[in-house]
Amino acid sequence: MISNFLQINNLTFSYSNSSTQLFDDFSLTFYDGWTTLAGSNGTGKSTLLKLIASHIFCEDGKILFNGNLVTKEFAEQKIIYCSQETSQIPENLYVAFWSPENDVRKFFSMLQITEAQLERWETLSGGEKKRIQIACALAENPDVLLLDEPTNDLDIDAINWLEEFLINFENTVIVVSHDRHFLNKVCTHIADIDYGKIK
């Protein structure tokens, strides 16, 4: 079986309001399995996830999936970015929650998400919102799953469930996390970003 791969070629990026070049001629390839992005705060880990998901765009370079250019339209169908921030209701929440497909709905029951919670989004705890966000991401069965601090606010039972599920997830997963136990349990590769370079 041929592995999928996500390829970043000669990427250049900086924020318009910053004099710091986050990435300059930056290249990296991710294969199916678990990879964690490590590095100090401010080195561009979350920015790289957003670039892969086409939430922001590079100044130069290309991002490819199995040799095909990742466009915004492609990313919307194949790549899911699970942000550290949980204030926004996931776009697919209601469609996925009431889907006729059991393989889509199952994540909500596994993460103990109820219809009543959907009706009071603004009053949910951070942990409840994070579980809903993760369920919505998994319901899409993405080819590339991007997780930014996925264990933030989760209780131990939800973290254990997420660890066991993702260990068996067959597609590409890229995670940013400071949870060392979580990373030790699930990650197969570490990409250390330091001043725009990779180790």
Side-chain angles (χ1 to χ4, degrees), residues 77-182:
Q77 296 180 26
K78 301 289 187 179
I79 300 173
I80 293 294
Y81 171 56
C82 218
S83 168
Q84 182 176 354
E85 174 61 47
T86 58
S87 60
Q88 298 296 319
I89 298 176
E91 292 183 2
N92 68 328
L93 172 57
Y94 300 105
V95 172
F97 187 84
W98 282 294
S99 170
E101 301 295 329
N102 183 58
D103 283 346
V104 174
R105 295 194 316 271
K106 67 181 181 182
F107 298 106
F108 296 94
S109 60
M110 289 176 174
L111 286 165
Q112 301 177 355
I113 297 163
T114 66
E115 183 177 344
Q117 289 175 311
L118 273 59
E119 297 171 353
R120 57 177 187 87
W121 174 267
E122 296 302 327
T123 63
L124 294 179
S125 70
E128 289 173 316
K129 289 181 177 179
K130 178 58 72 173
R131 284 193 283 118
I132 289 173
Q133 182 193 58
I134 289 172
C136 287
L138 298 180
E140 292 295 302
N141 190 30
D143 290 322
V144 180
L145 178 61
L146 310 173
L147 300 173
D148 198 346
E149 299 292 353
T151 61
N152 278 9
D153 298 318
L154 289 183
D155 59 37
I156 190 64
D157 289 338
I159 292 173
N160 288 340
W161 180 88
L162 184 61
E163 287 174 350
E164 293 304 318
F165 177 83
L166 291 175
I167 284 171
N168 298 302
F169 188 72
E170 295 181 351
N171 296 339
T172 301
V173 183
I174 306 170
V175 61
V176 171
S177 178
H178 289 88
D179 186 338
R180 286 185 173 271
H181 175 81
F182 178 75

Side-chain angles (χ1 to χ4, degrees), residues 40-70:
S40 303
N41 290 338
T43 55
K45 301 184 298 297
S46 295
T47 297
L48 186 59
L49 297 187
K50 293 174 185 177
L51 286 163
I52 293 169
S54 293
H55 287 203
I56 56 177
F57 300 94
C58 58
E59 299 160 23
D60 198 9
K62 295 180 180 179
I63 299 176
L64 308 169
F65 183 70
N66 290 343
N68 299 309
L69 184 66
V70 173

